[in-house]
Short mmCIF file of all heavy atoms in Angstrom, two decimals:
data_model
loop_
_atom_site.label_atom_id
_atom_site.label_comp_id
_atom_site.label_asym_id
_atom_site.label_seq_id
_atom_site.Cartn_x
_atom_site.Cartn_y
_atom_site.Cartn_z
N ILE A 259 0.39 1.15 4.25
CA ILE A 259 0.48 2.32 5.09
C ILE A 259 0.15 1.88 6.51
O ILE A 259 -0.90 1.24 6.72
CB ILE A 259 -0.47 3.42 4.66
CG1 ILE A 259 -0.26 3.77 3.20
CG2 ILE A 259 -0.33 4.65 5.55
CD1 ILE A 259 -1.35 4.61 2.60
N GLY A 260 1.03 2.17 7.44
CA GLY A 260 0.80 1.78 8.81
C GLY A 260 1.91 0.87 9.29
O GLY A 260 2.98 0.83 8.72
N ARG A 261 1.63 0.17 10.35
CA ARG A 261 2.63 -0.75 10.94
C ARG A 261 2.15 -2.18 10.80
O ARG A 261 1.10 -2.52 11.30
CB ARG A 261 2.82 -0.40 12.39
CG ARG A 261 3.46 0.95 12.58
CD ARG A 261 3.67 1.25 14.01
NE ARG A 261 4.26 2.55 14.13
CZ ARG A 261 4.92 3.00 15.16
NH1 ARG A 261 5.04 2.23 16.23
NH2 ARG A 261 5.39 4.21 15.19
N VAL A 262 2.93 -2.94 10.08
CA VAL A 262 2.62 -4.35 9.88
C VAL A 262 3.93 -5.08 9.61
O VAL A 262 4.83 -4.53 8.99
CB VAL A 262 1.60 -4.55 8.73
CG1 VAL A 262 2.16 -4.12 7.41
CG2 VAL A 262 1.10 -5.97 8.68
N GLU A 263 4.00 -6.28 10.08
CA GLU A 263 5.22 -7.07 9.81
C GLU A 263 5.12 -7.66 8.39
O GLU A 263 4.07 -8.11 7.95
CB GLU A 263 5.31 -8.20 10.80
CG GLU A 263 5.53 -7.77 12.23
CD GLU A 263 5.65 -8.95 13.19
OE1 GLU A 263 6.18 -10.01 12.79
OE2 GLU A 263 5.20 -8.80 14.33
N ARG A 264 6.25 -7.63 7.72
CA ARG A 264 6.31 -8.12 6.35
C ARG A 264 5.81 -9.57 6.23
O ARG A 264 5.15 -9.92 5.28
CB ARG A 264 7.72 -8.04 5.78
CG ARG A 264 8.14 -6.65 5.52
CD ARG A 264 9.59 -6.60 4.96
NE ARG A 264 9.96 -5.21 4.73
CZ ARG A 264 9.84 -4.62 3.54
NH1 ARG A 264 9.37 -5.28 2.51
NH2 ARG A 264 10.23 -3.37 3.37
N LYS A 265 6.12 -10.39 7.24
CA LYS A 265 5.71 -11.80 7.17
C LYS A 265 4.21 -11.96 7.17
O LYS A 265 3.67 -12.92 6.60
CB LYS A 265 6.37 -12.63 8.24
CG LYS A 265 5.90 -12.34 9.66
CD LYS A 265 6.65 -13.22 10.66
CE LYS A 265 6.19 -12.94 12.06
NZ LYS A 265 6.84 -13.82 13.02
N ILE A 266 3.48 -11.03 7.78
CA ILE A 266 2.01 -11.08 7.79
C ILE A 266 1.48 -10.83 6.35
O ILE A 266 0.44 -11.38 6.00
CB ILE A 266 1.44 -10.05 8.78
CG1 ILE A 266 1.76 -10.48 10.21
CG2 ILE A 266 -0.05 -9.85 8.57
CD1 ILE A 266 1.42 -9.48 11.26
N LEU A 267 2.19 -10.07 5.58
CA LEU A 267 1.74 -9.76 4.24
C LEU A 267 2.22 -10.75 3.19
O LEU A 267 1.75 -10.72 2.04
CB LEU A 267 2.25 -8.34 3.83
CG LEU A 267 1.70 -7.22 4.62
CD1 LEU A 267 2.36 -5.92 4.23
CD2 LEU A 267 0.21 -7.09 4.43
N SER A 268 3.11 -11.63 3.57
CA SER A 268 3.71 -12.56 2.60
C SER A 268 2.67 -13.38 1.83
O SER A 268 2.65 -13.37 0.58
CB SER A 268 4.67 -13.49 3.31
OG SER A 268 5.23 -14.40 2.42
N ARG A 269 1.80 -14.08 2.51
CA ARG A 269 0.80 -14.91 1.85
C ARG A 269 -0.19 -14.07 1.04
O ARG A 269 -0.46 -14.38 -0.13
CB ARG A 269 0.09 -15.83 2.83
CG ARG A 269 -0.94 -16.71 2.11
CD ARG A 269 -1.51 -17.78 3.01
NE ARG A 269 -0.44 -18.62 3.45
CZ ARG A 269 -0.24 -19.85 3.02
NH1 ARG A 269 -1.06 -20.39 2.17
NH2 ARG A 269 0.76 -20.57 3.47
N PRO A 270 -0.79 -13.02 1.63
CA PRO A 270 -1.74 -12.22 0.82
C PRO A 270 -1.11 -11.62 -0.43
O PRO A 270 -1.73 -11.57 -1.49
CB PRO A 270 -2.20 -11.12 1.76
CG PRO A 270 -1.97 -11.65 3.13
CD PRO A 270 -0.77 -12.55 3.01
N LEU A 271 0.17 -11.20 -0.36
CA LEU A 271 0.80 -10.66 -1.53
C LEU A 271 1.10 -11.74 -2.58
O LEU A 271 0.97 -11.50 -3.78
CB LEU A 271 2.11 -9.94 -1.14
CG LEU A 271 1.95 -8.63 -0.43
CD1 LEU A 271 3.27 -8.08 0.03
CD2 LEU A 271 1.19 -7.61 -1.27
N GLN A 272 1.44 -12.91 -2.10
CA GLN A 272 1.63 -14.04 -3.01
C GLN A 272 0.33 -14.40 -3.74
O GLN A 272 0.32 -14.58 -4.95
CB GLN A 272 2.17 -15.25 -2.26
CG GLN A 272 2.51 -16.43 -3.12
CD GLN A 272 3.04 -17.59 -2.31
OE1 GLN A 272 2.63 -17.83 -1.19
NE2 GLN A 272 3.96 -18.33 -2.92
N GLU A 273 -0.77 -14.40 -3.01
CA GLU A 273 -2.06 -14.69 -3.62
C GLU A 273 -2.47 -13.59 -4.59
O GLU A 273 -3.01 -13.87 -5.66
CB GLU A 273 -3.12 -14.84 -2.51
CG GLU A 273 -2.93 -16.10 -1.69
CD GLU A 273 -3.81 -16.20 -0.47
OE1 GLU A 273 -4.61 -15.26 -0.23
OE2 GLU A 273 -3.68 -17.19 0.28
N ALA A 274 -2.19 -12.36 -4.23
CA ALA A 274 -2.50 -11.24 -5.18
C ALA A 274 -1.66 -11.37 -6.45
O ALA A 274 -2.19 -11.15 -7.55
CB ALA A 274 -2.21 -9.88 -4.48
N GLY A 275 -0.42 -11.74 -6.29
CA GLY A 275 0.44 -11.94 -7.46
C GLY A 275 -0.05 -13.03 -8.37
O GLY A 275 -0.05 -12.89 -9.60
N LEU A 276 -0.55 -14.13 -7.78
CA LEU A 276 -1.10 -15.21 -8.59
C LEU A 276 -2.37 -14.75 -9.31
O LEU A 276 -2.57 -15.08 -10.47
CB LEU A 276 -1.43 -16.41 -7.69
CG LEU A 276 -0.20 -17.16 -7.16
CD1 LEU A 276 -0.63 -18.22 -6.14
CD2 LEU A 276 0.62 -17.80 -8.30
N ALA A 277 -3.22 -13.99 -8.62
CA ALA A 277 -4.44 -13.49 -9.24
C ALA A 277 -4.14 -12.52 -10.38
O ALA A 277 -4.85 -12.51 -11.40
CB ALA A 277 -5.31 -12.81 -8.19
N LEU A 278 -3.09 -11.72 -10.22
CA LEU A 278 -2.73 -10.74 -11.24
C LEU A 278 -1.82 -11.29 -12.32
O LEU A 278 -1.68 -10.68 -13.37
CB LEU A 278 -2.03 -9.54 -10.58
CG LEU A 278 -2.88 -8.69 -9.64
CD1 LEU A 278 -2.01 -7.74 -8.85
CD2 LEU A 278 -3.95 -7.96 -10.39
N GLY A 279 -1.20 -12.43 -12.05
CA GLY A 279 -0.28 -13.01 -13.01
C GLY A 279 1.06 -12.29 -13.06
O GLY A 279 1.72 -12.32 -14.11
N ARG A 280 1.45 -11.65 -11.99
CA ARG A 280 2.72 -10.95 -11.95
C ARG A 280 3.18 -10.82 -10.48
O ARG A 280 2.41 -11.03 -9.57
CB ARG A 280 2.65 -9.59 -12.58
CG ARG A 280 1.71 -8.63 -11.88
CD ARG A 280 1.69 -7.26 -12.55
NE ARG A 280 0.81 -6.34 -11.94
CZ ARG A 280 1.08 -5.62 -10.85
NH1 ARG A 280 2.23 -5.76 -10.24
NH2 ARG A 280 0.19 -4.77 -10.36
N VAL A 281 4.42 -10.45 -10.31
CA VAL A 281 4.96 -10.23 -8.98
C VAL A 281 4.42 -8.94 -8.41
O VAL A 281 4.29 -7.94 -9.11
CB VAL A 281 6.51 -10.17 -9.02
CG1 VAL A 281 7.08 -9.81 -7.69
CG2 VAL A 281 7.08 -11.51 -9.49
N VAL A 282 4.05 -8.94 -7.14
CA VAL A 282 3.60 -7.74 -6.47
C VAL A 282 4.71 -7.29 -5.52
O VAL A 282 5.14 -8.04 -4.66
CB VAL A 282 2.30 -8.02 -5.65
CG1 VAL A 282 1.90 -6.79 -4.85
CG2 VAL A 282 1.19 -8.49 -6.58
N ASN A 283 5.20 -6.08 -5.76
CA ASN A 283 6.30 -5.54 -4.92
C ASN A 283 5.69 -4.79 -3.74
O ASN A 283 4.67 -4.15 -3.86
CB ASN A 283 7.15 -4.61 -5.77
CG ASN A 283 7.88 -5.33 -6.86
OD1 ASN A 283 8.51 -6.39 -6.61
ND2 ASN A 283 7.81 -4.84 -8.08
N LEU A 284 6.37 -4.87 -2.65
CA LEU A 284 5.94 -4.28 -1.39
C LEU A 284 6.71 -3.01 -1.06
O LEU A 284 7.92 -2.96 -1.13
CB LEU A 284 6.12 -5.31 -0.27
CG LEU A 284 5.84 -4.85 1.18
CD1 LEU A 284 4.37 -4.48 1.34
CD2 LEU A 284 6.24 -5.95 2.14
N SER A 285 5.96 -1.96 -0.72
CA SER A 285 6.55 -0.71 -0.18
C SER A 285 5.76 -0.40 1.07
O SER A 285 4.54 -0.21 0.98
CB SER A 285 6.44 0.42 -1.19
OG SER A 285 7.18 0.16 -2.33
N LEU A 286 6.44 -0.36 2.19
CA LEU A 286 5.78 -0.04 3.47
C LEU A 286 6.11 1.36 3.90
O LEU A 286 7.26 1.81 3.85
CB LEU A 286 6.25 -1.00 4.56
CG LEU A 286 5.78 -2.44 4.46
CD1 LEU A 286 6.44 -3.26 5.56
CD2 LEU A 286 4.27 -2.52 4.56
N TYR A 287 5.07 2.08 4.33
CA TYR A 287 5.22 3.43 4.86
C TYR A 287 4.39 3.57 6.13
O TYR A 287 3.26 3.11 6.18
CB TYR A 287 4.70 4.50 3.85
CG TYR A 287 5.39 4.50 2.54
CD1 TYR A 287 4.86 3.78 1.47
CD2 TYR A 287 6.53 5.26 2.33
CE1 TYR A 287 5.48 3.80 0.23
CE2 TYR A 287 7.14 5.26 1.11
CZ TYR A 287 6.65 4.54 0.05
OH TYR A 287 7.25 4.55 -1.17
N ASP A 288 4.94 4.24 7.16
CA ASP A 288 4.07 4.59 8.26
C ASP A 288 3.28 5.84 7.83
O ASP A 288 3.56 6.43 6.79
CB ASP A 288 4.84 4.80 9.58
CG ASP A 288 5.83 5.97 9.53
OD1 ASP A 288 5.58 6.96 8.85
OD2 ASP A 288 6.87 5.87 10.21
N GLU A 289 2.25 6.21 8.57
CA GLU A 289 1.39 7.29 8.14
C GLU A 289 2.14 8.59 7.95
O GLU A 289 1.91 9.32 6.96
CB GLU A 289 0.21 7.46 9.09
CG GLU A 289 -0.82 6.38 8.93
CD GLU A 289 -2.07 6.64 9.74
OE1 GLU A 289 -2.52 7.81 9.80
OE2 GLU A 289 -2.61 5.66 10.30
N LYS A 290 3.04 8.90 8.85
CA LYS A 290 3.79 10.14 8.76
C LYS A 290 4.64 10.18 7.50
O LYS A 290 4.67 11.18 6.75
CB LYS A 290 4.69 10.32 9.99
CG LYS A 290 5.46 11.58 10.02
CD LYS A 290 6.27 11.71 11.30
CE LYS A 290 7.10 12.98 11.33
NZ LYS A 290 7.91 13.08 12.51
N GLU A 291 5.33 9.09 7.20
CA GLU A 291 6.18 9.00 6.01
C GLU A 291 5.31 9.06 4.76
O GLU A 291 5.67 9.72 3.77
CB GLU A 291 6.98 7.70 6.05
CG GLU A 291 7.94 7.56 4.89
CD GLU A 291 8.72 6.23 4.93
OE1 GLU A 291 8.31 5.29 5.64
OE2 GLU A 291 9.74 6.20 4.26
N PHE A 292 4.18 8.38 4.77
CA PHE A 292 3.27 8.38 3.60
C PHE A 292 2.81 9.80 3.30
O PHE A 292 2.82 10.24 2.16
CB PHE A 292 2.08 7.46 3.86
CG PHE A 292 1.08 7.52 2.75
CD1 PHE A 292 1.30 6.80 1.58
CD2 PHE A 292 -0.07 8.28 2.85
CE1 PHE A 292 0.36 6.84 0.54
CE2 PHE A 292 -0.98 8.33 1.82
CZ PHE A 292 -0.75 7.63 0.66
N ARG A 293 2.35 10.51 4.34
CA ARG A 293 1.87 11.87 4.14
C ARG A 293 2.98 12.77 3.57
O ARG A 293 2.72 13.63 2.74
CB ARG A 293 1.30 12.45 5.43
CG ARG A 293 -0.02 11.86 5.78
CD ARG A 293 -0.69 12.60 6.95
NE ARG A 293 -2.02 12.09 7.12
CZ ARG A 293 -2.40 11.32 8.14
NH1 ARG A 293 -1.54 10.94 9.04
NH2 ARG A 293 -3.65 10.91 8.24
N ALA A 294 4.19 12.59 4.05
CA ALA A 294 5.33 13.39 3.56
C ALA A 294 5.66 13.10 2.12
O ALA A 294 6.12 14.00 1.39
CB ALA A 294 6.54 13.16 4.44
N LYS A 295 5.45 11.87 1.68
CA LYS A 295 5.86 11.45 0.33
C LYS A 295 4.72 11.31 -0.69
O LYS A 295 4.99 11.05 -1.84
CB LYS A 295 6.61 10.11 0.40
CG LYS A 295 7.92 10.21 1.13
CD LYS A 295 8.63 8.85 1.12
CE LYS A 295 10.00 8.99 1.75
NZ LYS A 295 10.75 7.73 1.64
N ARG A 296 3.49 11.48 -0.27
CA ARG A 296 2.39 11.14 -1.14
C ARG A 296 2.29 11.97 -2.44
O ARG A 296 1.68 11.53 -3.41
CB ARG A 296 1.07 11.20 -0.41
CG ARG A 296 0.59 12.58 -0.10
CD ARG A 296 -0.72 12.53 0.62
NE ARG A 296 -1.31 13.84 0.62
CZ ARG A 296 -2.52 14.10 0.97
NH1 ARG A 296 -3.28 13.13 1.37
NH2 ARG A 296 -2.98 15.31 0.91
N LYS A 297 2.93 13.12 -2.49
CA LYS A 297 2.89 13.93 -3.70
C LYS A 297 4.09 13.68 -4.59
O LYS A 297 4.16 14.23 -5.68
CB LYS A 297 2.77 15.41 -3.35
CG LYS A 297 1.43 15.66 -2.67
CD LYS A 297 1.15 17.09 -2.48
CE LYS A 297 -0.20 17.19 -1.77
NZ LYS A 297 -0.87 18.40 -1.87
N GLN A 298 5.02 12.84 -4.14
CA GLN A 298 6.15 12.48 -4.98
C GLN A 298 5.65 11.59 -6.12
O GLN A 298 4.62 10.94 -6.00
CB GLN A 298 7.24 11.78 -4.16
CG GLN A 298 7.91 12.71 -3.19
CD GLN A 298 8.97 12.04 -2.36
OE1 GLN A 298 9.25 10.85 -2.49
NE2 GLN A 298 9.58 12.79 -1.47
N GLN A 299 6.38 11.54 -7.18
CA GLN A 299 5.96 10.84 -8.41
C GLN A 299 5.46 9.43 -8.18
O GLN A 299 4.41 9.03 -8.66
CB GLN A 299 7.06 10.87 -9.44
CG GLN A 299 6.62 10.30 -10.77
CD GLN A 299 7.71 10.43 -11.82
OE1 GLN A 299 8.79 10.96 -11.58
NE2 GLN A 299 7.41 9.92 -13.00
N PHE A 300 6.23 8.61 -7.43
CA PHE A 300 5.86 7.22 -7.28
C PHE A 300 4.52 7.08 -6.60
O PHE A 300 3.60 6.40 -7.14
CB PHE A 300 6.93 6.46 -6.50
CG PHE A 300 6.50 5.05 -6.11
CD1 PHE A 300 6.38 4.07 -7.09
CD2 PHE A 300 6.18 4.74 -4.82
CE1 PHE A 300 5.96 2.79 -6.74
CE2 PHE A 300 5.75 3.47 -4.46
CZ PHE A 300 5.65 2.49 -5.43
N LEU A 301 4.34 7.68 -5.44
CA LEU A 301 3.08 7.51 -4.73
C LEU A 301 1.92 8.20 -5.43
O LEU A 301 0.81 7.70 -5.46
CB LEU A 301 3.20 8.05 -3.30
CG LEU A 301 3.98 7.17 -2.35
CD1 LEU A 301 4.05 7.77 -0.95
CD2 LEU A 301 3.39 5.79 -2.26
N ALA A 302 2.18 9.35 -6.04
CA ALA A 302 1.11 10.03 -6.80
C ALA A 302 0.62 9.12 -7.94
O ALA A 302 -0.58 9.01 -8.21
CB ALA A 302 1.59 11.36 -7.35
N SER A 303 1.57 8.43 -8.58
CA SER A 303 1.21 7.50 -9.65
C SER A 303 0.38 6.34 -9.14
O SER A 303 -0.62 5.94 -9.70
CB SER A 303 2.50 6.98 -10.32
OG SER A 303 2.20 5.97 -11.25
N VAL A 304 0.81 5.74 -8.01
CA VAL A 304 0.10 4.63 -7.41
C VAL A 304 -1.33 5.04 -6.99
O VAL A 304 -2.31 4.34 -7.26
CB VAL A 304 0.86 4.07 -6.21
CG1 VAL A 304 0.03 3.08 -5.41
CG2 VAL A 304 2.16 3.40 -6.66
N LEU A 305 -1.43 6.20 -6.39
CA LEU A 305 -2.74 6.65 -5.91
C LEU A 305 -3.70 6.95 -7.05
O LEU A 305 -4.92 6.88 -6.88
CB LEU A 305 -2.58 7.92 -5.04
CG LEU A 305 -1.91 7.67 -3.69
CD1 LEU A 305 -1.61 9.00 -2.99
CD2 LEU A 305 -2.77 6.79 -2.81
N GLY A 306 -3.16 7.27 -8.24
CA GLY A 306 -4.01 7.56 -9.38
C GLY A 306 -4.44 6.32 -10.19
O GLY A 306 -5.16 6.45 -11.16
N LYS A 307 -4.03 5.15 -9.79
CA LYS A 307 -4.33 3.92 -10.48
C LYS A 307 -5.29 3.03 -9.70
O LYS A 307 -5.39 3.21 -8.48
CB LYS A 307 -3.05 3.18 -10.81
CG LYS A 307 -2.13 3.90 -11.73
CD LYS A 307 -0.87 3.12 -12.00
CE LYS A 307 0.04 3.90 -12.94
NZ LYS A 307 1.32 3.24 -13.09
N PRO A 308 -5.90 2.07 -10.35
CA PRO A 308 -6.73 1.09 -9.59
C PRO A 308 -5.89 0.36 -8.58
O PRO A 308 -4.70 0.12 -8.82
CB PRO A 308 -7.24 0.13 -10.70
CG PRO A 308 -7.11 0.89 -11.97
CD PRO A 308 -5.93 1.81 -11.78
N LYS A 309 -6.48 0.02 -7.46
CA LYS A 309 -5.76 -0.65 -6.39
C LYS A 309 -6.41 -1.96 -5.99
O LYS A 309 -7.63 -2.08 -6.05
CB LYS A 309 -5.71 0.28 -5.17
CG LYS A 309 -4.85 1.52 -5.37
CD LYS A 309 -5.16 2.56 -4.35
CE LYS A 309 -5.66 3.89 -4.83
NZ LYS A 309 -5.91 4.19 -6.16
N LEU A 310 -5.59 -2.86 -5.57
CA LEU A 310 -6.06 -4.13 -5.01
C LEU A 310 -5.62 -4.11 -3.53
O LEU A 310 -4.43 -4.11 -3.24
CB LEU A 310 -5.41 -5.31 -5.74
CG LEU A 310 -5.67 -6.70 -5.16
CD1 LEU A 310 -7.15 -7.05 -5.24
CD2 LEU A 310 -4.83 -7.72 -5.89
N PHE A 311 -6.55 -4.04 -2.64
CA PHE A 311 -6.25 -3.91 -1.21
C PHE A 311 -6.01 -5.27 -0.62
O PHE A 311 -6.87 -6.16 -0.67
CB PHE A 311 -7.36 -3.14 -0.48
CG PHE A 311 -7.44 -1.71 -0.85
CD1 PHE A 311 -8.17 -1.29 -1.91
CD2 PHE A 311 -6.71 -0.78 -0.12
CE1 PHE A 311 -8.20 0.05 -2.27
CE2 PHE A 311 -6.72 0.56 -0.43
CZ PHE A 311 -7.49 0.97 -1.53
N VAL A 312 -4.85 -5.47 -0.04
CA VAL A 312 -4.49 -6.70 0.62
C VAL A 312 -5.03 -6.72 2.03
O VAL A 312 -5.55 -7.68 2.54
CB VAL A 312 -2.97 -6.93 0.61
CG1 VAL A 312 -2.56 -8.15 1.38
CG2 VAL A 312 -2.44 -6.98 -0.83
N ILE A 313 -4.90 -5.56 2.72
CA ILE A 313 -5.45 -5.34 4.04
C ILE A 313 -6.07 -3.96 4.00
O ILE A 313 -5.44 -3.02 3.46
CB ILE A 313 -4.34 -5.39 5.13
CG1 ILE A 313 -3.73 -6.78 5.19
CG2 ILE A 313 -4.93 -5.00 6.47
CD1 ILE A 313 -2.55 -6.87 6.17
N GLY A 314 -7.24 -3.80 4.52
CA GLY A 314 -7.88 -2.47 4.50
C GLY A 314 -8.72 -2.28 3.25
O GLY A 314 -8.96 -3.21 2.50
N SER A 315 -9.14 -1.02 3.04
CA SER A 315 -10.04 -0.75 1.92
C SER A 315 -9.80 0.67 1.40
O SER A 315 -9.03 1.46 1.98
CB SER A 315 -11.48 -0.82 2.41
OG SER A 315 -11.75 0.21 3.34
N GLU A 316 -10.48 1.01 0.34
CA GLU A 316 -10.42 2.35 -0.24
C GLU A 316 -10.81 3.38 0.83
O GLU A 316 -10.23 4.46 0.94
CB GLU A 316 -11.36 2.47 -1.45
CG GLU A 316 -11.26 3.75 -2.18
CD GLU A 316 -10.06 3.88 -3.10
OE1 GLU A 316 -9.61 2.86 -3.63
OE2 GLU A 316 -9.55 5.01 -3.23
N ARG A 317 -11.79 3.02 1.61
CA ARG A 317 -12.25 3.93 2.67
C ARG A 317 -11.14 4.21 3.69
O ARG A 317 -10.97 5.34 4.14
CB ARG A 317 -13.48 3.34 3.36
CG ARG A 317 -14.13 4.25 4.34
CD ARG A 317 -15.34 3.60 4.91
NE ARG A 317 -16.25 4.60 5.41
CZ ARG A 317 -17.41 4.38 5.87
NH1 ARG A 317 -17.91 3.15 5.91
NH2 ARG A 317 -18.16 5.35 6.32
N ASP A 318 -10.41 3.17 4.05
CA ASP A 318 -9.28 3.34 4.99
C ASP A 318 -8.23 4.30 4.37
O ASP A 318 -7.73 5.18 5.06
CB ASP A 318 -8.64 2.02 5.32
CG ASP A 318 -9.56 1.06 6.05
OD1 ASP A 318 -10.35 1.52 6.90
OD2 ASP A 318 -9.46 -0.15 5.79
N LEU A 319 -7.96 4.10 3.10
CA LEU A 319 -6.98 4.94 2.41
C LEU A 319 -7.46 6.39 2.37
O LEU A 319 -6.68 7.31 2.63
CB LEU A 319 -6.73 4.43 1.00
CG LEU A 319 -5.77 5.25 0.13
CD1 LEU A 319 -4.40 5.31 0.76
CD2 LEU A 319 -5.70 4.65 -1.26
N GLU A 320 -8.72 6.58 2.06
CA GLU A 320 -9.27 7.96 2.01
C GLU A 320 -9.13 8.64 3.38
O GLU A 320 -8.89 9.84 3.46
CB GLU A 320 -10.72 7.91 1.56
CG GLU A 320 -10.90 7.57 0.11
CD GLU A 320 -12.31 7.31 -0.31
OE1 GLU A 320 -13.24 7.36 0.54
OE2 GLU A 320 -12.55 7.01 -1.49
N GLY A 321 -9.31 7.89 4.46
CA GLY A 321 -9.16 8.44 5.79
C GLY A 321 -7.71 8.90 6.08
O GLY A 321 -7.51 9.86 6.82
N ILE A 322 -6.76 8.27 5.44
CA ILE A 322 -5.38 8.65 5.66
C ILE A 322 -4.96 9.82 4.78
O ILE A 322 -4.23 10.69 5.24
CB ILE A 322 -4.43 7.41 5.39
CG1 ILE A 322 -4.71 6.36 6.45
CG2 ILE A 322 -2.96 7.83 5.38
CD1 ILE A 322 -4.03 5.03 6.14
N ILE A 323 -5.43 9.85 3.57
CA ILE A 323 -4.99 10.90 2.65
C ILE A 323 -5.83 12.17 2.75
O ILE A 323 -5.48 13.19 2.19
CB ILE A 323 -4.91 10.42 1.18
CG1 ILE A 323 -6.28 10.01 0.66
CG2 ILE A 323 -3.90 9.32 1.05
CD1 ILE A 323 -6.28 9.61 -0.80
N ALA A 324 -6.91 12.13 3.48
CA ALA A 324 -7.79 13.30 3.63
C ALA A 324 -7.12 14.41 4.41
O ALA A 324 -6.27 14.23 5.20
CB ALA A 324 -9.09 12.90 4.29
#
């Protein structure tokens, strides 16, 4: 959520994938788009599951969804 270049996330996502033993898929949303879509099935499902933060924290997420 936010503005970040995909190439900045490349290495952290690769490392997360190695730690999890699976491919990590990327979905980028700016805050406005995230707020508009957060109740749709995909994002609601993601928000209801454990998360591994590549950048930021649970606290940062709570600040956006509040």
